[in-house]
Amino acid sequence: MNKITKTILAFLLTFFAFLHPTIAQKVYKVDIKDEIGPNAWRTIDIGYKEAKAVGASTFLIELNTFGGAVNFADSIRSKLLNADMKTVVYVNNNAASAGALISLAADDIYMHKGGSLGAASVVNENGEIMPEKYQSYMRGLMRATAEAKGRNPKIAEAFVDAEVSIPELKPDGKLLTLTASEAVKAGLVKAEVANLSDLYQLAEIKAADVVQHQVTVVDQLIGFLINPLVSGILILGIIGGIYFELQTPGIGFALVVAIVCGALFFAPLYMQGLADNWEIAIFILGVILLALEVFVIPGFGVAGILGIIFVLCGLAFSMVDNDFLDFKLTQPGLLVNSFLIVTGAMVLTVVIMVIFGRNILRSPAFRVLVLEDEQQSNQGYTSSQQKANLLLQNGVARTVLRPSGKIEINGVWYDAVALDGFIDVGEEVYVEKHENYSLFVRKLSAKRDSNETKTT
């Protein structure tokens, strides 16, 4: 290679090295400004995939959170540690608890002036410190994360454990929380900035190269559906729909309500990675057991009890992340909360059924769903069977009446409703009344007992 060729090659290498920061750099920015939970994890996961799709070289998270669930924070942490592009976290203004763990997993941390970082002890929903096994696990996560990014693991551990002694940063017996300037001096944070423009300048990022992650309508809908209050309402619809369907076979609309509410309850949780196949399966098994108890197995026994337990557990477990009943990564108290939501919705459903069960299908809200026109005989309408002359006639139950079923009178089968609540196959019955083309029957043995009592 002659001298002229070497000179040209050196010039080209210098030229492209000079242009590289502006040509090759593309930044994908995601905002997390809420509790660390399923929504935050889903946003990061989708955002990172889109960042790879657009060829970004830097993944930037603008973070402002007071913490959240450890399991979802750990998922975000793992995503950042295993990223094949540069990762940056901009703390604006808080990165407490789970937020501190996420921040330590980034290659570079920038903090807004007046921001804070730390206080990562594991607490329950009331803010009370959890037992040592939870703190030990969190200390390990914080140390490992700091070591992976070349940061001081002792400082990371002091965010969790008040007993860690760092006299220059905190008094003994107090959890460590750092301001922006303190975090810079401690070597955890790269720089303290006033705004994103300062960050872009220090990181040699052009604002034009930043792609902002957009939250879609679907993301907003999923976030709405997994709200505990909305989940409780959906559970009420599921349980209420199942109740009406089992108590009044053939109603149809109640089953549709239960299915729609079930889909709206499970689908977003499944998409978030909370609900697993086995949890949905035990819920469906519970419904099947309840149906068997109502239509096949007389009385109320093991099948009914197991059905209620399976439905309860299927709904509650689906709301909490777990590895087949291993809840060690779940935020403390979250499992109890999910059971309270499910049982509360069930109790409310029972109360509504007791108070309004008889009249709810006749309410204005349901009248639009049924045909109210009467088909009167003077208008030419007739029934296929004249049933009025069957009053006080004796017959035999050909199917279980619970309360609806089939009876036979003089060799003809009729639809009937048991006034006794339950009549088994083969029991003798008599027709007590006839309304709206339906026969209402009682056990013949009950009539005999009543007559004997009167005679006595």
Side-chain angles (χ1 to χ4, degrees):
M1 185 181 295
N2 57 40
K3 186 175 182 179
I4 296 176
T5 304
K6 288 181 179 180
T7 302
I8 294 173
L9 181 60
F11 173 79
L12 291 175
L13 290 173
T14 303
F15 177 75
F16 283 110
F18 174 77
L19 292 181
H20 175 75
T22 58
I23 290 178
Q25 178 117 306
K26 181 178 284 188
V27 179
Y28 194 91
K29 180 175 175 289
V30 175
D31 297 339
I32 300 297
K33 299 181 180 180
D34 206 344
E35 180 179 289
I36 303 302
N39 267 343
W41 161 237
R42 186 170 186 272
T43 299
I44 293 296
D45 188 41
I46 293 175
Y48 184 77
K49 291 175 182 177
E50 292 180 358
K52 294 185 70 174
V54 301
S57 58
T58 301
F59 188 65
L60 171 62
I61 300 174
E62 183 174 349
L63 185 65
N64 184 17
T65 181
F66 289 104
V70 176
N71 54 319
F72 292 108
D74 183 53
S75 297
I76 297 173
R77 161 191 175 269
S78 299
K79 178 70 70 174
L80 296 181
L81 290 178
N82 298 320
D84 52 9
M85 65 181 77
K86 185 177 182 180
T87 56
V88 178
V89 167
Y90 171 41
V91 178
N92 181 23
N93 287 306
N94 300 293
S97 191
L101 177 63
I102 293 170
S103 300
L104 292 176
D107 295 324
D108 293 333
I109 306 173
Y110 294 86
M111 286 186 68
H112 183 77
K113 292 181 179 179
S116 61
L117 173 70
S121 286
V122 184
V123 298
N124 60 18
E125 65 273 14
N126 297 321
E128 300 167 344
I129 300 295
M130 295 297 292
E132 170 59 21
K133 66 176 183 178
Y134 295 99
Q135 311 306 330
S136 176
Y137 184 82
M138 191 64 175
R139 284 198 300 268
L141 276 181
M142 297 292 283
R143 284 200 311 270
T145 305
E147 289 175 355
K149 293 299 180 180
R151 298 186 174 97
N152 189 336
K154 189 175 182 181
I155 295 178
E157 188 175 3
F159 287 151
V160 181
D161 191 350
E163 300 303 320
V164 176
S165 179
I166 309 180
E168 65 275 17
L169 292 178
K170 72 174 187 70
D172 289 346
K174 300 292 184 180
L175 284 178
L176 177 61
T177 299
L178 299 175
T179 65
S181 58
E182 289 171 342
V184 172
K185 291 178 183 178
L188 292 185
V189 173
K190 192 165 187 180
E192 180 182 9
V193 297
N195 47 48
L196 277 170
S197 297
D198 286 355
L199 187 156
Y200 292 154
Q201 184 176 358
L202 290 172
E204 298 182 339
I205 297 171
K206 284 191 173 183
D209 296 331
V210 178
V211 178
Q212 177 66 49
H213 176 74
Q214 300 298 325
V215 178
T216 66
V217 175
V218 174
D219 295 328
Q220 294 174 342
L221 179 61
I222 290 175
F224 172 76
L225 291 175
I226 63 176
N227 182 285
L229 176 61
V230 177
S231 295
I233 294 173
L234 292 174
I235 292 171
L236 191 150
I238 294 170
I239 304 301
I242 292 173
Y243 173 85
F244 274 123
E245 187 64 26
L246 295 180
Q247 290 297 316
T248 314
I251 189 173
F253 177 72
L255 180 61
V256 173
V257 170
I259 291 174
V260 171
C261 289
L264 292 176
F265 176 82
F266 283 110
L269 295 175
Y270 190 84
M271 294 174 66
Q272 295 280 41
L274 288 174
D276 208 346
N277 293 329
W278 68 271
E279 294 164 335
I280 299 174
I282 66 172
F283 168 77
I284 295 174
L285 178 59
V287 174
I288 294 173
L289 287 173
L290 287 175
L292 290 174
E293 184 70 30
V294 171
F295 296 113
V296 179
I297 306 172
F300 188 80
V302 176
I305 295 172
L306 287 178
I308 293 174
I309 293 174
F310 284 0
V311 167
L312 177 66
C313 292
L315 292 170
F317 291 159
S318 295
M319 300 173 68
V320 182
D321 187 55
N322 65 90
D323 183 13
F324 200 75
L325 301 180
D326 182 1
F327 299 95
K328 68 180 180 182
L329 283 179
T330 300
Q331 183 181 10
L334 202 59
L335 179 61
V336 175
N337 287 344
S338 68
F339 270 101
L340 288 176
I341 291 172
V342 176
T343 53
M346 284 185 169
V347 171
L348 181 59
T349 302
V350 172
V351 171
I352 292 175
M353 295 308 104
V354 171
I355 298 175
F356 303 107
R358 295 183 178 180
N359 300 317
I360 195 168
L361 295 179
R362 300 177 182 176
S363 65
F366 282 85
R367 285 178 183 172
V368 296
L369 303 173
V370 298
L371 181 65
E372 293 186 317
D373 292 340
E374 295 184 7
Q375 298 177 336
Q376 300 177 358
S377 59
N378 58 13
Q379 296 176 345
Y381 293 103
T382 60
S383 63
S384 58
Q385 296 281 351
Q386 294 296 327
K387 300 178 182 178
N389 59 355
L390 297 177
L391 288 175
L392 303 180
Q393 290 285 323
N394 296 340
V396 178
R398 290 307 180 193
T399 67
V400 174
L401 276 70
R402 194 197 308 257
S404 300
K406 301 282 188 180
I407 66 169
E408 181 183 348
I409 299 176
N410 299 325
V412 181
W413 285 36
Y414 300 94
D415 292 320
V417 178
L419 294 173
D420 296 314
F422 173 82
I423 297 177
D424 207 348
V425 178
E427 289 196 63
E428 292 183 305
V429 299
Y430 73 95
V431 180
E432 182 170 298
K433 62 179 180 177
H434 168 228
E435 292 180 0
N436 299 328
Y437 306 108
S438 295
L439 297 179
F440 291 82
V441 301
R442 289 190 187 277
K443 296 178 182 179
L444 187 59
S445 57
K447 183 178 179 181
R448 290 170 180 165
D449 293 341
S450 176
N451 293 334
E452 289 176 1
T453 301
K454 290 178 181 180
T455 301
T456 302

